[in-house]
């Protein structure tokens, strides 16, 4: 039977017998071919089972068909644990529930696909948490953490995953269901007829037989997660926990169906001491002394991570607030005693200890340093976010060489840490590379990654040589070559070098006893391939991207397509986009939980497409459009992805390729060309609005153009924004340009009227520029970009730049109301034009609130504001958040007397321009809105003002709740009406240029 026939047959059988998602097409398989390692293996198929029974049926069908099975959680493995050529079973989408919780005994039982942060959110209300706090907590699943024996930053106090796993239920390769838990050795030899008794006897017998060898060969460090946990089987005091042989087994022994966990009380109080060091060596040597103060963590941040973090908008304020001078290393020391007074006392002891060790702010470089105390919870959270984003920050280098994971988890006794890192640096230097280093100094386990380009044979050879030399040194120090992230395809081949031949034969015996046919995730821990087998790499020999002409400027990245390749390949698959709460990214994934609909999945698909791995013309294919269909271009990934994967910009590139090859749909034309026909449509507003009043016309437009009949379209109006002049306000006032965008100018002129009134009331000389040629209002080209009509967008921006240039040449700011329009001038304009005029316009573009806050901070804002109500609930536009421009909204509203300002914690509203109007995207749009925005508005007090700057956001709120939302400009105008001075009539100061 041919491969395609076999695939179709198996897919049909699974689809018939398994509830859930069965995915055997090349696009979906490609999205599961990688994890956060440098490997890529195309699976035969992917199944996301809806229930545990569905998962077990999947295993049975795969077994019957002779297919191997690889379980997968968040797909964040660093070592290639979750890639294989058989059936990948994704437990993260559906198998993600708490099965039971016992608050009194501090235990819970969960399904394997529950995400750590999601679990802890549910535990928090009970005053509990699961403390194996891995840096990928926003997407790492408990099943995956058990498979890797994860550790987290606070293992110094709480231990590893193994230490906090009470029991596990799992299916063996033959389908036998077993409970793995504590078992007394004397009970194991009873003749009770219980499932698994023979297996458990054999395991315990092996442990007894190999006890001496285990004692001799297993490293005496906490951070040892390599191989199978034979030490869990040796005779000791009390019971042996059979679950601990599954912990760290990477899905090679059994398929986990539930995990029982030990829980801990929440940390109530904590403080950070950020220790600065002018010498990296001295920082590493100091770690052994700092842990004597019994902190719960000591985390390293090196100078490379600091430098890269300064270039990332979301981390820059944290670094500026905490880092003094130019340290070679920081050690973030965390204390978390129950009594805050004890924590503050320990901070003083930390400062004294640093002094006793010879460090001071006035010393020379080797002993330069000191402690910055961080007591404020908000800053502690910011530091934690920065620290746990270490991998992604390191991967943000815009070059073909990237920090590569293969020796990153070696752990050595703390007394050897300084010598180990010093010698390791010399190894890297010898092989022509440099490292990045960060993470768990308290455990002697640093994430050490040399910068290599694994497309080059010489760098692959360097990786092999570095691995062999580094592991030999680790063995010399009696450390562990696998200290947190597991073995996978990277480290498994080195087990014999580290543990010896006899222990490796024991590993093989255990694997065969559990899985004699080698069907569960083969190639990991035992019988592995070579770690540098390039046929398994994400960039294998022959990998190439054909050069192509792109519509946008990608020149800050390397590779084909003027850098388009390099921009796509910035995605390292670590999966920060899979977070379910906090920030905005990625709203479509939050609605669907599909790998297809997350930034990582889209980036992988684009990479496979441009490199020819998905067939010819994949970039403009229907499958690619389906991949990007639910991308709302929120731009959250632009800011929240630490490697800066800008999927909104990439989508424009794909839409342009699609439009060039296939032309435009009617909906694309209606949306894209809106600025061209808006003026004419407004003249026939009553006629144009008939669609909203007629079920027949709604139905017809849905059939013809795919615009949902369930939505009212924005109402056309004949009284568009036309204030009767081009200059307003006092002649001597500071100048400002008000950019009247298409949406507010056409549909909601009251926002522009209000903004004009506020600016004039503040004493500003307000300009409303006209185009240099023609009479059609100025436009940013946003709608054309959303349809892939990049040349049309460029033409619109050319008109705008020409009109704005005379103002920006004399330093006049450009102020806009609609975030998606105004911020186009700060973003896409510079991807379409790189001349000085475009750069000047971009540099002068400010949102209305940004301008007012800037003026207020400089003491120039004079607005007689009066009270308007008790409370304002504010929803931020995605683009505001992406550009760090949302806080000015909160700040300007707080100038209104007596107004309580509450931010609604939301992701995207789900309307996203034309997205929410699509018949095929309506349901996803509503799902995004219902995640937090609409429930918050519905529960808002009746007298609360709802504030939203985005046109789309206001429409979504109105459609979903019946409540109207106001732009900040209208809120300020209302406040002016309640002020103590007469409001200045803007039109009384109008002039015509």
């Amino acid at each position: 039977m041919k491969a395609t026939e076999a695939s179709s047959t198996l897919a049909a059988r699974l689809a018939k017998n398994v509830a859930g998602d069965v995915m055997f097409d090349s696009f979906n398989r490609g999205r599961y071919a990688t994890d956060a390692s440098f490997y890529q293996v195309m699976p035969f198929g992917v199944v996301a089972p809806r229930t545990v029974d569905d998962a077990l049926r999947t295993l049975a069908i795969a077994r019957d068909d002779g297919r191997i099975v690889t379980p997968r959680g968040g797909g964040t493995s660093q070592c290639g644990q979750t890639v294989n050529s058989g059936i990948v079973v994704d437990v993260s989408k559906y198998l993600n529930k708490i099965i039971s919780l016992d608050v009194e005994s501090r235990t819970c039982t969960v399904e394997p696909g529950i995400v750590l942060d999601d679990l802890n959110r549910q535990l928090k209300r009970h005053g509990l948490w699961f403390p194996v706090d891995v840096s990928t907590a926003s997407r790492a699943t408990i099943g995956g953490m058990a498979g890797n024996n994860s550790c987290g930053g606070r293992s110094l106090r709480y231990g590893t995953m193994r230490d906090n796993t009470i029991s596990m239920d799992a299916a063996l390769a033959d389908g036998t269901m077993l409970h793995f838990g504590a078992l007394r050795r004397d009970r194991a030899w009873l003749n009770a007829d219980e499932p698994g008794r023979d297996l458990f006897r054999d395991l315990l017998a092996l442990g007894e037989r190999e006890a001496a060898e285990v004692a001799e060969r297993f490293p005496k460090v906490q951070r040892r997660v390599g191989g199978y946990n034979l030490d869990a089987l040796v005779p000791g005091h009390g019971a042996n926990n059979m679950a601990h042989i599954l912990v760290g087994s990477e899905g090679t022994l059994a398929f986990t169906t539930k995990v029982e966990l030990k829980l801990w009380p929440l940390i109530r109080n904590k403080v950070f001491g950020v220790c600065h060091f002018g010498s990296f060596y001295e920082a590493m040597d100091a770690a052994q002394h700092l842990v004597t103060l019994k902190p719960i963590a000591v985390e390293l941040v090196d100078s490379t991570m600091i430098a890269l973090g300064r270039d990332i908008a979301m981390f820059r304020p944290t670094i500026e607030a905490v880092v003094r001078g130019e340290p070679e290393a920081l050690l973030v020391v965390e204390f978390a005693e129950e009594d805050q007074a004890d924590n503050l006392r320990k901070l003083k002891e930390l400062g004294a200890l640093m002094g006793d060790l010879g460090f001071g702010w006035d010393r020379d470089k080797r002993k330069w340093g000191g402690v910055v105390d961080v007591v404020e919870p908000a800053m502690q959270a910011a530091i934690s976010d920065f620290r746990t984003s270490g991998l992604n920050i390191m991967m943000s280098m815009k070059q073909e060489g990237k920090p590569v994971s293969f020796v990153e988890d070696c752990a050595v006794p703390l007394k050897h840490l300084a010598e180990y890192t010093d010698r390791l640096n010399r190894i890297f230097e010898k092989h022509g590379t440099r490292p990045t280093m960060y993470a768990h100094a308290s455990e002697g386990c640093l994430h050490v990654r040399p910068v290599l380009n694994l497309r080059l044979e010489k760098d692959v050879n360097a990786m092999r040589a570095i691995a062999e030399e580094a592991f030999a040194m680790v063995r010399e120090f009696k450390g562990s070559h696998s200290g947190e992230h597991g073995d996978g395809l990277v480290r498994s081949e080195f087990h014999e070098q580290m543990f010896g031949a006899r222990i490796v034969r024991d590993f093989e015996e255990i694997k065969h006893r559990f899985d004699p046919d080698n069907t569960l995730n083969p190639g990991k821990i035992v019988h592995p391939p070579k770690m540098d087998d390039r046929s398994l790499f994400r960039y294998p020999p022959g990998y190439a991207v054909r050069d192509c002409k792109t519509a946008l400027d990608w020149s800050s990245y390397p590779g084909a397509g003027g850098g388009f390749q390099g921009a796509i390949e910035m995605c390292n698959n670590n999966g920060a986009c899979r977070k379910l709460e906090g920030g905005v990214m990625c709203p479509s994934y939050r609605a669907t939980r599909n790998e297809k609909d997350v930034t990582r999945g889209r980036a992988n698909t684009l990479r496979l497409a441009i490199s020819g791995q998905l067939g010819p013309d994949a970039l403009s294919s229907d499958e690619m459009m389906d991949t990007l269909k639910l991308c709302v271009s929120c731009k959250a990934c632009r800011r929240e992805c630490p490697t800066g994967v800008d999927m909104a910009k990439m989508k424009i590139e794909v839409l342009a390729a699609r439009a060039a090859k296939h032309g435009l749909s009617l909906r694309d034309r209606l949306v894209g060309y809106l600025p061209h026909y808006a003026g004419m449509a407004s003249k026939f507003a009553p006629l144009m609005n008939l669609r909203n009043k007629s079920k027949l016309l709604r139905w017809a437009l849905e059939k013809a153009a795919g615009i949902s009949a369930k939505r009212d379209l924005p109402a056309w109006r004949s009284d568009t924004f036309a204030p009767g002049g081009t200059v307003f306000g006092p002649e001597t006032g500071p100048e400002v340009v008000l950019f009247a965008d298409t949406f507010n100018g056409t549909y909601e002129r009251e926002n522009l009227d209000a903004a004009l009134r506020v600016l004039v009331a503040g004493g500003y000389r307000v300009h409303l520029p006209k185009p240099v040629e023609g009479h059609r209002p100025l436009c940013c080209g946003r709608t054309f970009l959303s349809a892939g009509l990049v040349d049309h967008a460029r033409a619109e921006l050319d008109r705008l730049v020409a009109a704005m240039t005379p103002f920006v040449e004399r330093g006049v700011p450009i102020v806009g109301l609609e975030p998606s329009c105004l911020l186009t001038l700060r973003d896409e304009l510079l991807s379409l034009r790189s001349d000085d005029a475009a750069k000047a316009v971009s540099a002068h573009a400010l949102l209305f609130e940004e301008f007012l806050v800037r003026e207020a901070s400089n003491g120039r804002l004079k607005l007689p504001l009066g009270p308007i109500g008790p409370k304002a609930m504010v929803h931020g536009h995605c683009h505001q958040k992406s550009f760090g421009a949302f806080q000015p909204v909160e700040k300007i509203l707080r100038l209104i007397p007596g107004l309580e300002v509450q931010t609604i914690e939301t992701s995207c509203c789900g309307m996203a321009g034309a997205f929410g109007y699509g018949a095929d995207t309506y349901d996803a749009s509503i799902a995004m809105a219902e995640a937090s925005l609409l429930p918050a508005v519905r529960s808002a007090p009746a007298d609360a003002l709802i504030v939203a700057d985005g046109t789309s956001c206001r429409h979504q709120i109105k459609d979903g709740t019946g409540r109207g939302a106001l732009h900040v400009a209208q809120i300020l105008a209302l406040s002016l009406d309640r002020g103590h001075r007469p409001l200045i009539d803007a039109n009384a100061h109008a002039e015509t240029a």
Side-chain angles (χ1 to χ4, degrees):
M1 184 182 295
K2 294 181 179 179
T4 53
E5 294 175 358
S7 173
S8 298
T9 301
L10 181 56
R13 185 179 174 192
L14 285 165
K16 181 180 179 181
N17 291 281
V18 175
D21 305 334
V22 176
M23 298 167 280
F24 274 62
D25 64 284
S26 60
F27 277 69
N28 272 306
R29 290 188 298 118
R31 286 185 271 269
Y32 285 85
T34 52
D35 53 15
S37 70
F38 54 81
Y39 294 105
Q40 175 176 300
V41 181
M42 191 68 71
F44 194 71
V46 181
V47 178
R50 193 171 289 276
T51 66
V52 167
D53 286 344
D54 289 321
L56 297 178
R57 276 192 291 272
T58 300
L59 265 63
I61 292 170
R63 182 170 61 247
D64 185 61
D65 199 63
R67 301 290 168 187
I68 63 174
V69 171
T70 296
R72 176 174 167 125
T76 61
S77 302
Q78 297 286 317
C79 307
Q81 289 95 321
T82 60
V83 296
N84 227 319
S85 58
I87 305 300
V88 171
V89 180
D90 181 356
V91 300
S92 68
K93 183 174 181 180
Y94 299 114
L95 303 183
N96 49 30
K97 300 170 185 64
I98 296 178
I99 298 170
S100 65
L101 170 63
D102 188 330
V103 174
E104 187 174 344
S105 68
R106 296 179 184 166
T107 63
C108 71
T109 302
V110 300
E111 292 180 325
I114 191 169
V115 169
L116 176 58
D117 272 357
D118 194 29
L119 170 63
N120 278 331
R121 276 190 288 271
Q122 297 179 65
L123 294 175
K124 185 176 182 179
R125 69 183 71 123
H126 303 289
L128 299 172
W129 75 313
F130 186 67
V132 185
D133 55 337
V134 294
S135 64
T136 52
S138 65
R139 59 271 194 199
T141 63
I142 292 296
M145 291 170 61
N148 278 0
N149 191 12
S150 295
C151 301
R154 297 181 174 96
S155 61
L156 194 63
R157 170 171 293 184
Y158 297 107
T160 67
M161 191 74 191
R162 170 180 169 176
D163 299 316
N164 292 280
T165 298
I166 299 170
S167 70
M168 299 171 71
D169 283 14
L172 301 185
D174 63 4
T176 302
M177 284 295 302
L178 293 180
H179 177 75
F180 293 79
L183 179 67
R184 292 186 61 87
R185 299 183 74 87
D186 54 359
R187 181 169 174 75
W189 267 263
L190 294 176
N191 291 321
D193 183 19
E194 294 182 20
R197 183 63 64 197
D198 290 343
L199 172 63
F200 297 151
R201 286 174 182 166
D202 292 347
L203 291 174
L204 293 173
L206 185 149
E208 188 167 335
R209 184 189 81 204
E210 298 297 332
E213 187 73 5
V214 168
E216 172 67 21
R217 300 307 299 256
F218 270 43
K220 305 302 189 293
V221 292
Q222 186 190 55
R223 292 299 186 100
R224 184 209 53 81
V225 303
Y228 296 126
N229 290 321
L230 298 186
D231 55 332
L233 304 175
V234 302
H237 300 290
N240 292 81
N241 194 325
M242 295 294 100
H244 293 173
I245 199 67
L246 295 187
V247 174
S249 65
E250 302 186 355
T252 63
L253 300 182
F255 185 93
T256 302
T257 59
K258 60 183 179 181
V259 186
E260 184 183 9
L261 302 171
K262 175 184 178 182
L263 306 178
W264 293 71
L266 276 173
I267 293 175
R268 300 295 180 185
N269 297 296
K270 61 184 175 183
V271 296
F272 288 1
V274 183
C275 298
H276 289 55
F277 297 89
S279 161
F280 187 88
Y281 183 93
E282 292 291 338
M284 297 301 92
D285 188 57
Q288 61 185 311
H289 304 292
L290 301 185
V291 298
T292 62
L293 297 179
K294 299 190 182 306
I296 67 170
V298 180
E299 295 286 290
L300 167 67
V301 176
D302 78 349
S303 58
T304 301
M305 186 170 169
I306 295 169
L308 290 170
R310 281 196 174 106
D311 291 333
I312 299 173
M314 66 187 296
F315 297 128
R316 190 179 303 118
T318 303
I319 294 170
E320 291 174 350
V322 172
V323 179
R324 289 192 189 178
E326 299 294 333
E328 281 195 3
L330 304 175
L331 290 179
V332 182
V333 183
E334 181 177 356
F335 299 106
E337 303 304 320
E338 186 69 22
D339 190 338
Q340 186 71 341
D342 290 336
N343 291 323
L344 296 174
R345 175 179 53 79
K346 283 180 175 273
L347 264 185
K348 289 184 179 179
E349 291 174 358
L350 177 65
L353 178 58
M354 286 285 285
D356 292 343
L357 293 173
F359 296 102
W361 297 115
D362 58 347
R363 304 294 175 85
D364 62 13
K365 182 176 177 60
R366 189 176 73 86
K367 285 294 185 177
W368 174 88
V371 183
V372 173
D373 296 347
V374 180
V375 179
E376 302 82 5
M379 184 53 66
Q380 292 171 6
I383 293 171
S384 295
D385 287 345
F386 175 62
R387 178 178 55 77
T388 57
S389 296
L391 171 60
N392 283 325
I393 291 170
M394 296 304 188
M395 298 298 285
S396 68
M397 297 178 178
K398 292 182 179 180
Q399 58 187 50
E400 290 186 336
K402 293 287 195 298
V404 178
S405 301
F406 62 101
V407 293
E408 87 282 4
D409 269 1
C410 298
V412 299
L414 273 181
K415 64 182 180 180
H416 299 306
L417 186 59
E419 183 181 356
Y420 165 69
T421 53
D422 187 54
R423 288 172 58 181
L424 197 58
N425 274 319
R426 292 203 292 270
I427 291 173
F428 294 142
E429 185 178 354
K430 169 185 169 183
H431 292 284
T433 185
R434 66 191 190 281
T436 63
M437 296 189 185
Y438 66 99
H440 317 303
S442 56
E443 300 279 13
C445 179
L446 302 185
H447 296 332
V448 180
R449 293 179 170 87
V451 177
L452 297 168
N453 180 3
L454 295 187
R455 296 171 179 80
L456 304 178
E457 185 71 25
K458 70 177 184 65
D459 281 19
V460 175
N461 293 338
M463 179 176 70
R464 157 66 66 177
I466 291 169
E468 291 176 349
E469 294 176 44
F471 293 155
M473 181 169 54
V474 170
R475 188 172 68 248
E476 174 189 336
F477 288 130
K478 300 187 183 304
S480 170
H481 72 309
S482 188
E484 180 174 14
H485 293 155
D487 302 332
L489 296 171
V490 171
R491 282 187 278 271
S492 293
E493 76 157 289
F494 296 97
H495 285 337
E496 188 158 335
Q497 176 183 335
M498 302 305 295
F499 291 108
R502 181 169 172 174
I503 291 292
V504 170
R505 300 296 86 77
D506 293 335
F507 291 164
E508 292 170 353
E509 182 178 338
I510 287 177
K511 169 66 172 174
H512 186 265
R513 186 64 182 84
F514 273 87
D515 180 22
D517 295 324
N518 200 29
T519 60
L520 293 177
N521 204 21
K524 321 296 161 54
I525 299 180
V526 300
H527 306 302
K530 292 288 187 182
M531 60 93 78
D532 53 344
D533 180 350
R534 293 188 68 193
S535 68
L536 302 176
F537 282 18
R538 192 183 304 179
Y539 306 116
Y543 176 89
V545 175
R546 187 178 62 186
D547 207 8
C548 59
K549 180 176 174 57
T550 51
L552 304 175
D553 179 9
W554 301 95
S555 59
S556 61
Y557 299 93
F564 187 45
Q565 173 190 354
I568 291 171
E569 292 175 357
M570 287 299 293
C571 178
N572 65 4
N573 283 274
N574 197 249
C577 44
R578 285 172 62 99
K579 63 184 179 183
L580 299 173
E581 284 195 9
V584 178
M585 179 178 72
C586 177
S588 51
Y589 174 73
R590 295 182 186 190
T592 70
R593 299 285 185 95
N594 291 329
E595 184 71 18
K596 172 177 72 72
D597 299 320
V598 72
T599 304
R600 178 180 73 178
R602 294 171 182 135
N604 272 322
T605 305
L606 285 169
R607 177 178 55 80
L608 293 168
I610 64 173
S611 59
Q613 297 179 70
L614 296 176
D617 299 321
L619 193 66
S620 59
S621 67
D622 292 343
E623 292 86 352
M624 182 61 74
M625 288 309 302
D626 184 60
T627 299
L628 293 172
K629 182 172 75 173
L630 298 189
C631 173
V632 292
S633 298
C634 66
K635 299 190 183 184
C637 50
R638 177 189 175 277
R639 177 178 177 85
E640 295 176 27
C641 171
T643 61
V645 174
D646 189 345
M647 191 52 59
K649 186 176 174 183
M650 293 176 189
K651 184 176 181 179
I652 293 171
E653 202 69 67
V654 174
L655 291 170
R658 175 83 174 180
K661 186 172 182 62
H662 299 286
L664 298 177
S665 67
L666 177 57
R667 183 170 71 183
D668 288 337
R669 291 183 182 279
L670 290 173
V671 172
Y673 285 93
L674 173 65
H676 282 192
Y677 66 78
M680 182 62 67
S682 295
K683 295 179 180 178
F684 298 95
L687 181 64
M688 296 294 291
N689 290 332
L690 287 177
R691 178 266 179 196
N692 286 353
K693 302 174 182 178
S694 167
K695 289 184 179 180
L696 178 61
L697 291 177
R698 285 174 180 263
W699 174 86
L701 193 58
E702 180 170 314
K703 293 300 179 184
I707 295 174
S708 175
K710 299 176 183 177
R711 290 274 194 197
D712 277 349
L713 293 176
W716 295 95
R717 53 198 294 178
S718 55
D719 60 332
T720 56
F721 181 66
T726 59
V727 186
F728 299 84
E731 289 186 18
T732 57
E735 292 183 290
V736 61
V737 168
L738 180 60
F739 170 37
D741 63 272
T742 300
F743 301 109
N744 283 300
T746 302
Y747 299 113
E748 297 180 90
R749 66 162 293 172
E750 55 273 8
N751 295 326
L752 286 164
D753 289 333
L756 184 55
R757 293 172 64 202
V758 169
L759 291 170
V760 170
Y764 295 96
R765 182 76 162 169
V766 185
H767 298 274
L768 298 173
K770 297 290 186 182
V772 175
E773 296 180 0
H775 300 286
R776 185 168 54 79
L778 296 172
C779 173
C780 70
R782 176 93 253 151
T783 59
F784 288 116
L785 291 172
S786 71
L789 297 173
V790 176
D791 287 340
H792 288 72
R794 184 181 286 107
E796 292 296 327
L797 286 166
D798 287 347
R799 295 174 69 240
L800 186 144
V801 169
M804 299 293 185
T805 293
F807 298 99
V808 299
E809 283 180 343
R810 60 177 191 264
V812 179
I814 302 167
V815 174
L817 303 188
E818 172 57 37
S820 62
C821 293
L822 186 283
L823 293 173
T824 298
L825 307 185
R826 300 233 288 258
D827 190 4
E828 287 88 354
L829 170 60
L830 299 182
S831 294
L832 294 170
R833 290 181 52 165
S834 58
D835 56 286
D836 290 341
K839 291 176 181 177
V841 168
S842 180
H844 284 79
L846 293 167
L847 286 168
F848 180 66
E849 310 83 18
E850 289 182 299
F851 172 72
L852 293 179
V853 167
R854 188 180 76 175
E855 294 297 285
S857 65
N858 290 329
R860 293 194 295 259
L861 186 63
K862 309 296 182 185
L863 288 174
L865 300 175
I868 56 174
K871 186 173 187 176
M873 296 185 66
V874 189
H875 163 69
H877 189 284
C878 296
H879 293 186
Q880 284 176 317
K881 296 173 184 176
S882 172
F883 283 83
F886 177 60
Q887 280 192 344
V889 179
E890 301 169 310
K891 289 180 179 179
I892 203 67
L893 288 173
R894 290 194 173 101
L895 296 181
I896 298 175
L899 185 66
E900 177 192 351
V901 180
Q902 178 183 335
T903 297
I904 305 173
E905 294 299 328
T906 57
S907 179
C908 180
C909 74
M911 186 64 88
F915 177 86
Y917 294 102
D920 57 342
T921 51
Y922 172 83
D923 289 340
S925 168
I926 294 299
M928 292 179 199
E930 291 290 358
S932 55
L933 174 59
L934 297 186
V937 173
R938 293 189 193 106
S939 62
D943 58 354
L945 295 164
I946 309 299
V947 184
D949 276 0
T951 297
S952 298
C953 308
R954 293 191 294 273
H955 282 262
Q956 183 78 300
I957 291 169
K958 180 69 173 177
D959 285 356
T961 69
R963 293 189 66 164
L966 298 175
H967 192 284
V968 169
Q970 283 210 66
I971 299 291
L972 292 176
L974 287 171
S975 182
L976 280 173
D977 288 339
R978 304 286 177 87
H980 302 297
R981 285 199 284 122
L983 182 67
I984 298 173
D985 182 359
N987 287 294
H989 292 265
E991 299 177 15
T992 301

